[in-house]
Amino acid sequence: MRQPLAGIRVLDLGTRIAAPFCAGILGEQGAEVIKIEDPGRGDPTRINGPFATDDEGNHHSLYWSVEGRGRQSVTINLRDPQGQDLFRRLASVCDVVCENFRPGTLERWNIDPSRLDPRLVTARISLYGQDGPKSLHNGFDHNAVAFAGLTHLTGHADQSPARPGLPVSDYLTAVFAAQAVTSLLYERDAKGTGTGGVIDAYLYGSVLRIMEWTIAAYDRLGSVRQRTGNRSDRAAPLDNYRSRDGRYVCIVAVRQPVFERLCEAMGRPDLSTDERFGSSGARGRNRDEVNQTVADWTAGLDAATIEARCLSHGVPVGIVHDVADVAADDHVRARGDLCSVDDPVIGPVRQQAPFPRFGTE
């Protein structure tokens, strides 16, 4: 694999997800990553399930096997002056620090960026940012997605808001932060400024940045966007439709040419000239009817048949996969999206491969 960040050394000062994942991205692109853990306890992710057992019957976190990979670990007591001095010396021979403590913690420990080499790039990840009236509030991904408005948009209109299935803000913030780290490294090294900088990456901010037109519509139209489940409140057909064999198939046919092809696949070419469905606007106004029509069709066929018919007519489609489907999928296998990582405790563990890839890797 190409390693464009080879020669860069990263200190992973984080815990759980966001900062360690940021460091991990840099590591997968060639950087050396050194993780600093609390003596005696280590990173809390080490005790997060699910667990596998080693040869001696001890539990080992599979969460840690995935998110702790690709780095060396040392323990330093950062609450102790000797540990703080050790950290400063270690940081002096590094390029990047990734941390996600509550704002003010590094300052209290005398290891904040103002006390470190100005060449360092420091990614500071927190819930609400390094300043502002909520900056010292503690919390997690659940709080971030709720605060940024994503929880309000997730779920069905007639049910309570739902959280996304994964800690989206942790991983998303880590990706934004890793990109910003590489930008400051480029400025420092390629442009020759010789100085790094501080990145203020906060969980709710990454979610806010991907909220599409939600803020603009509120600003100019006064509209408050609402959750619509798997459907859209302005376009159809679009949903995860249940099949005869109890699976779900995602079909997206909102553009007029695609809808016409779906009608052919369904054996219902008449639908494309029905005045209720004959244009994108008409289908948006009659979205419940057109979605129900598609649902009635899928209910009479197995998922594989639905997928095959849609694909043969050029309709965007995909069976909703669980992890077993993903692991067995021939496309995933052909692309090398999963890899085996040799965990030093429990041996080879199949998991997600580094992403993205460079060129034809």
Side-chain angles (χ1 to χ4, degrees), residues 182-333:
T182 58
S183 294
L184 288 186
L185 288 174
Y186 176 81
E187 183 184 65
R188 186 193 73 181
D189 298 338
K191 291 190 173 182
T193 65
T195 59
V198 177
I199 298 159
D200 185 359
Y202 41 104
L203 302 188
Y204 87 83
S206 68
V207 177
L208 192 62
R209 181 60 185 85
I210 64 164
M211 290 288 282
E212 302 177 323
W213 45 264
T214 307
I215 300 296
Y218 177 70
D219 177 59
R220 299 305 300 268
L221 306 176
S223 63
V224 177
R225 190 174 181 178
Q226 302 296 330
R227 55 189 171 277
T228 57
N230 297 317
R231 299 182 177 183
S232 168
D233 61 357
R234 59 186 63 206
L238 165 64
D239 203 349
N240 298 327
Y241 301 95
R242 187 176 176 87
S243 62
R244 182 173 61 188
D245 53 348
R247 305 199 68 181
Y248 289 88
V249 182
C250 176
I251 298 175
V252 182
V254 297
R255 294 178 57 247
Q256 185 63 26
V258 180
F259 178 69
E260 292 173 3
R261 295 199 294 270
L262 175 62
C263 293
E264 293 291 338
M266 294 170 59
R268 294 289 309 276
D270 58 294
L271 292 176
S272 63
T273 57
D274 188 312
E275 64 179 11
R276 297 170 300 165
F277 312 139
S279 68
S280 296
R283 288 193 301 280
R285 291 188 296 273
N286 297 285
R287 53 190 176 274
D288 290 340
E289 292 90 338
V290 68
N291 276 315
Q292 187 58 53
T293 299
V294 177
D296 292 341
W297 173 66
T298 64
L301 299 169
D302 290 345
T305 302
I306 298 166
E307 184 179 53
R309 289 193 185 180
C310 286
L311 288 174
S312 69
H313 286 80
V315 177
V317 63
I319 297 173
V320 176
H321 281 180
D322 61 21
V323 66
D325 298 318
V326 173
D329 190 85
D330 57 354
H331 183 81
V332 172
R333 187 180 302 111

Side-chain angles (χ1 to χ4, degrees), residues 2 15 45 59 61 68 88 106 111 116 137 174 192 203 279 282 295 333 354:
R2 291 179 62 179
T15 61
T45 308
H59 290 306
S61 168
R88 287 190 291 266
L106 298 192
I111 56 172
L116 303 177
H137 293 189
L203 302 188
S279 68
R333 187 180 302 111

Side-chain angles (χ1 to χ4, degrees), residues 88-236:
R88 287 190 291 266
R89 287 189 283 132
L90 184 57
S92 71
V93 294
C94 291
D95 299 279
V96 180
V97 172
C98 300
E99 67 96 2
N100 59 343
F101 288 102
R102 197 185 305 192
T105 301
L106 298 192
E107 285 78 3
R108 191 168 65 251
W109 291 342
N110 300 310
I111 56 172
D112 61 280
S114 70
R115 294 174 170 87
L116 303 177
D117 192 320
R119 292 186 68 260
L120 272 174
V121 174
T122 303
R124 309 198 69 175
I125 298 176
S126 60
L127 174 57
Y128 289 111
Q130 296 299 308
D131 53 28
K134 290 183 171 63
S135 61
L136 298 183
H137 293 189
N138 65 337
F140 300 95
D141 165 79
H142 286 42
N143 307 103
V145 294
F147 184 77
L150 180 58
T151 303
H152 176 76
L153 296 180
T154 305
H156 293 277
D158 60 347
Q159 298 176 15
S160 61
R163 71 172 182 85
L166 293 168
V168 175
S169 70
D170 279 306
Y171 289 110
L172 189 60
T173 304
V175 173
F176 276 116
Q179 186 279 324
V181 165
T182 58
S183 294
L184 288 186
L185 288 174
Y186 176 81
E187 183 184 65
R188 186 193 73 181
D189 298 338
K191 291 190 173 182
T193 65
T195 59
V198 177
I199 298 159
D200 185 359
Y202 41 104
L203 302 188
Y204 87 83
S206 68
V207 177
L208 192 62
R209 181 60 185 85
I210 64 164
M211 290 288 282
E212 302 177 323
W213 45 264
T214 307
I215 300 296
Y218 177 70
D219 177 59
R220 299 305 300 268
L221 306 176
S223 63
V224 177
R225 190 174 181 178
Q226 302 296 330
R227 55 189 171 277
T228 57
N230 297 317
R231 299 182 177 183
S232 168
D233 61 357
R234 59 186 63 206

Side-chain angles (χ1 to χ4, degrees), residues 1-56:
M1 293 178 61
R2 291 179 62 179
Q3 296 190 321
L5 294 181
I8 297 296
R9 183 176 289 142
V10 178
L11 279 183
D12 173 9
L13 193 56
T15 61
R16 298 193 185 276
I17 301 175
F21 193 70
C22 175
I25 291 172
L26 302 174
E28 290 177 355
Q29 297 180 6
E32 176 190 4
V33 181
I34 301 172
K35 183 169 185 62
I36 296 176
E37 301 188 60
D38 201 22
R41 293 184 295 179
D43 191 295
T45 308
R46 289 181 180 272
I47 58 173
N48 282 3
F51 300 97
T53 54
D54 62 19
D55 293 338
E56 299 177 355

